[in-house]
Amino acid sequence: MTPEELQAARDRTVPDVVTGGLRVLFCGINPSLMTGATGYHFAHPGNRFWPVLHRSGFTPHQLHPAEQTELLRYGLGITNVVARATARADELSAEEYREGGQILQAKVESLRPQWLAIVGVTAYRTAFGRRTARIGPQDHTIGGARVWALPNPSGLNAHWTVQSMAEEYGRLLARVGEGTAFTPEAP
């Protein structure tokens, strides 16, 4: 991917990977330029979402970004708080987060997932006015879904390792599926 191709992806949107009745709807902050360029969520090579999802037990093997639609077989989906692609999340305004939170709430009301897992506690705090929120289960619902704030899997988040993130994602899995890996639904 050339620098020009990445820059051309600025402000692009990427379709959600969703269907009604998901077990968990993972919600990123916003697409990276790599995601915007490829059309695949969490596509930047430094992003740890896919390894963490597997190590935590949500998937039986590590998926690649191009396999993102396989998540639906496991009752999982992906969306974002803010739809437009940027190089870094700090390029987004607080107003974009708040507007994205309103859009996300409507999306969750329509899709009815059991859990909304927001991967980025700062995005969650800003989008929903929950200034004191911490990583973990939250004390309210959004659009009828229970909420869990997860660490941001971006390679820029040096506070969390793949292992420590997998443990936190695993805590969510234990609440959703009693600690067992999701099995694909029959076709």
Side-chain angles (χ1 to χ4, degrees):
M1 185 86 33
T2 68
E4 293 78 19
E5 290 170 317
L6 286 175
Q7 286 306 312
R10 185 172 295 281
D11 297 326
R12 280 190 193 156
T13 60
V14 177
D16 294 337
V17 178
V18 296
T19 192
L22 295 167
R23 293 178 183 173
V24 180
L25 177 57
F26 289 96
C27 181
I29 298 170
N30 75 304
S32 68
L33 295 181
M34 182 67 74
T35 290
T38 64
Y40 301 125
H41 292 273
F42 301 103
H44 191 281
N47 194 295
R48 300 165 295 176
F49 178 79
W50 299 104
V52 166
L53 205 62
H54 169 59
R55 287 188 188 190
S56 65
F58 274 105
T59 60
H61 64 276
Q62 184 174 323
L63 298 174
H64 299 281
E67 298 173 299
Q68 65 187 11
T69 59
E70 289 294 309
L71 290 175
L72 298 174
R73 295 178 61 214
Y74 303 104
L76 308 173
I78 303 176
T79 189
N80 288 288
V81 174
V82 176
R84 74 179 184 96
T86 62
R88 296 175 50 106
D90 62 8
E91 296 175 39
L92 302 172
S93 70
E95 182 60 30
E96 284 180 285
Y97 280 111
R98 287 189 293 274
E99 288 174 7
Q102 293 172 350
I103 293 166
L104 179 60
Q105 180 167 343
K107 191 177 298 186
V108 171
E109 288 172 356
S110 173
L111 294 171
R112 308 300 294 169
Q114 293 174 16
W115 285 90
L116 174 63
I118 301 178
V119 295
V121 71
T122 302
Y124 169 67
R125 288 173 183 152
T126 306
F128 295 100
R130 299 285 178 159
R131 292 183 189 91
T132 61
R134 296 180 184 262
I135 296 294
Q138 303 303 304
D139 62 359
H140 75 287
T141 61
I142 293 175
R146 291 169 284 182
V147 179
W148 197 290
L150 290 169
N152 181 352
S154 168
L156 299 174
N157 181 3
H159 299 292
W160 289 80
T161 65
V162 168
Q163 183 58 40
S164 62
M165 280 191 283
E167 289 168 6
E168 185 60 33
Y169 282 54
R171 287 182 57 217
L172 168 59
L173 176 59
R175 289 286 283 277
V176 175
E178 284 121 38
T180 59
F182 288 175
T183 55
E185 295 177 8

